[in-house]
Amino acid sequence: MTNNFHAALARSNSLLSRGRPQILQLNTGKLCNLRCIHCHVNAGPARKEIMTDTTIDQILAWFEKTDIPTLDLTGGTPEMTPGFRYLVDSVRNFAQPREVMTRLNATIINEPSYDWIPEYHARHGITIIASMPCYSPDNVNEQRGDGVFDSSIKAFQKLNTLGYGKDPRLPMHFVYNPNGASLPPKQLELEADYKREMQKHFGIVFNDLYCITNMPIARFKSYLKRNQQLDEYMQLLRDSFNPTTVDGLMCRNTINTSWTGEVFDCDFNQMLKIGLKNPSNESPLMVWDINPETYDQIAILTADHCFGCTAGSGSSCSGSLQ
């Protein structure tokens, strides 16, 4: 099968090479209390894939020996992983401090069994990155489910009272995904709109807005197929290829790890099962087998969905690349 993304890189004389790892991104599992239509993980309340304590221990033992500065926890809803607090507590006890961030589904805060989250995150200085597809309820509820907007607002207000979005030690960033088959608008312009409207109507403050392109995989791909938009959307991504975004792609500095410990170039490759191989025996590469000093010698694996990260202003786990 032709790798159109690889061909686009070649035509633009763009080199996609791995750098030294700066982020360990752990997908702790697919369990979530929501079923968002844009979700590339196909996460939901019935999912059973979840990181075990044994896997957490293996990852911790390896991670502590590295100098990778950032731990990025994603899912699903990371906080629904039974070992979440054990994982964070352990990292906070490392001799070398690390930044810990969580990709929080804010509605989980309002679930009775998870009311510990706000105070725990504030006490441990966890950076929060939270999905908020719009500052009006209709778009949010359409994308993430009925009642999600109001629940999210309540959660963000609670986090604000603890200092999130206000205290420099407690950053809170929002994530915008387009509500359909289009590219995100300019990030800084939309961020200004968000900050104005969230403050005006709800008294909510936050730090940065991350605009992330919807990936044509998993649940969003099914949505595109149902609406007969898949081919059109893929063409939009290909036509919008921007070679100047390549240097900022997250696969260059991120080690993405599944709930089993298997390594991928990104969370999207993980969901497509495009995994890295152990150079010594061609078995799936496990994170505890990585040598950070030589990891940059392993080639980055690409496919056509990678156009989603290079379209327009580019897209990464930290928002637009330009």
Side-chain angles (χ1 to χ4, degrees):
M1 182 180 295
T2 302
N3 186 328
N4 294 305
F5 185 75
H6 182 77
L9 290 174
R11 285 195 302 271
S12 63
N13 294 316
S14 300
L15 177 64
L16 179 58
S17 59
R18 201 182 301 279
R20 188 171 181 83
Q22 298 297 313
I23 301 170
L24 174 63
Q25 184 177 65
L26 300 185
N27 189 310
T28 62
K30 300 183 180 183
L31 182 62
C32 184
N33 64 322
L34 301 179
R35 294 187 77 257
C36 303
I37 62 172
H38 68 284
C39 182
H40 69 274
V41 180
N42 275 346
R47 299 306 297 256
K48 305 298 183 185
E49 302 91 337
I50 202 157
M51 189 173 284
T52 66
D53 288 348
T54 299
T55 300
I56 289 173
D57 280 333
Q58 289 178 285
I59 293 172
L60 286 169
W62 173 84
F63 184 39
E64 187 172 17
K65 297 174 185 176
T66 75
D67 61 358
I68 298 172
T70 300
L71 176 64
D72 181 350
L73 300 174
T74 187
T77 298
E79 288 78 3
M80 295 182 77
T81 303
F84 177 87
R85 281 178 281 187
Y86 168 68
L87 170 60
V88 173
D89 289 345
S90 299
V91 172
R92 283 292 179 245
N93 286 326
F94 284 0
Q96 178 182 337
R98 316 294 173 105
E99 179 184 10
V100 178
M101 59 177 66
T102 181
R103 297 185 181 272
L104 176 70
N105 159 26
T107 67
I108 197 67
I109 289 174
N110 301 316
E111 300 282 345
S113 299
Y114 297 96
D115 56 3
W116 52 267
I117 290 175
E119 287 78 11
Y120 179 85
H121 285 20
R123 186 167 66 252
H124 287 81
I126 300 174
T127 297
I128 288 176
I129 303 171
S131 178
M132 192 60 177
C134 193
Y135 44 76
S136 63
D138 290 346
N139 287 343
V140 174
N141 292 339
E142 180 181 349
Q143 187 177 119
R144 306 192 70 209
D146 291 341
V148 169
F149 182 83
D150 289 342
S151 182
S152 297
I153 292 297
K154 180 180 177 182
F156 295 140
Q157 289 171 335
K158 186 178 298 183
L159 290 165
N160 271 172
T161 64
L162 294 172
Y164 270 101
K166 301 176 181 179
D167 187 329
R169 297 170 299 174
L170 299 175
M172 180 168 68
H173 310 301
F174 287 172
V175 174
Y176 165 87
N177 294 85
N179 196 25
S182 61
L183 296 181
K186 293 294 184 181
Q187 183 167 282
L188 289 179
E189 295 176 9
L190 186 60
E191 179 181 282
D193 292 340
Y194 260 72
K195 288 189 171 182
R196 182 188 65 249
E197 296 300 313
M198 295 296 282
Q199 173 72 56
K200 177 181 177 181
H201 296 290
F202 310 107
I204 291 172
V205 296
F206 65 97
N207 295 93
D208 299 324
L209 179 71
Y210 296 163
C211 288
I212 298 181
T213 301
N214 288 325
M215 279 289 164
I217 64 174
R219 195 171 290 151
F220 186 65
K221 183 176 182 179
S222 298
Y223 164 86
L224 292 171
K225 283 183 174 180
R226 286 196 307 273
N227 290 278
Q228 299 182 327
Q229 294 178 312
L230 179 59
D231 291 342
E232 179 183 348
Y233 187 64
M234 288 303 305
Q235 191 61 50
L236 172 65
L237 297 182
R238 287 191 291 268
D239 290 345
S240 303
F241 174 72
N242 180 356
T244 65
T245 64
V246 172
D247 284 348
L249 294 179
M250 56 189 171
C251 52
R252 299 193 65 243
N253 70 354
T254 300
I255 298 175
N256 175 271
T257 305
S258 76
W259 60 280
T260 64
E262 190 174 348
V263 176
F264 300 82
D265 286 312
C266 65
D267 219 40
F268 310 121
N269 278 15
Q270 182 183 148
M271 299 311 136
L272 293 171
K273 303 186 186 306
I274 305 175
L276 299 180
K277 301 297 183 183
N278 191 317
S280 63
N281 57 19
E282 289 300 305
S283 63
L285 180 63
M286 309 306 286
V287 67
W288 43 82
D289 291 328
I290 287 178
N291 179 352
E293 300 298 325
T294 59
Y295 185 62
D296 61 353
Q297 298 173 18
I298 301 176
I300 296 172
L301 303 180
T302 64
D304 280 10
H305 67 283
C306 298
F307 282 109
C309 289
T310 57
S313 297
S315 180
S316 75
C317 286
S318 297
S320 298
L321 299 174
Q322 295 181 341

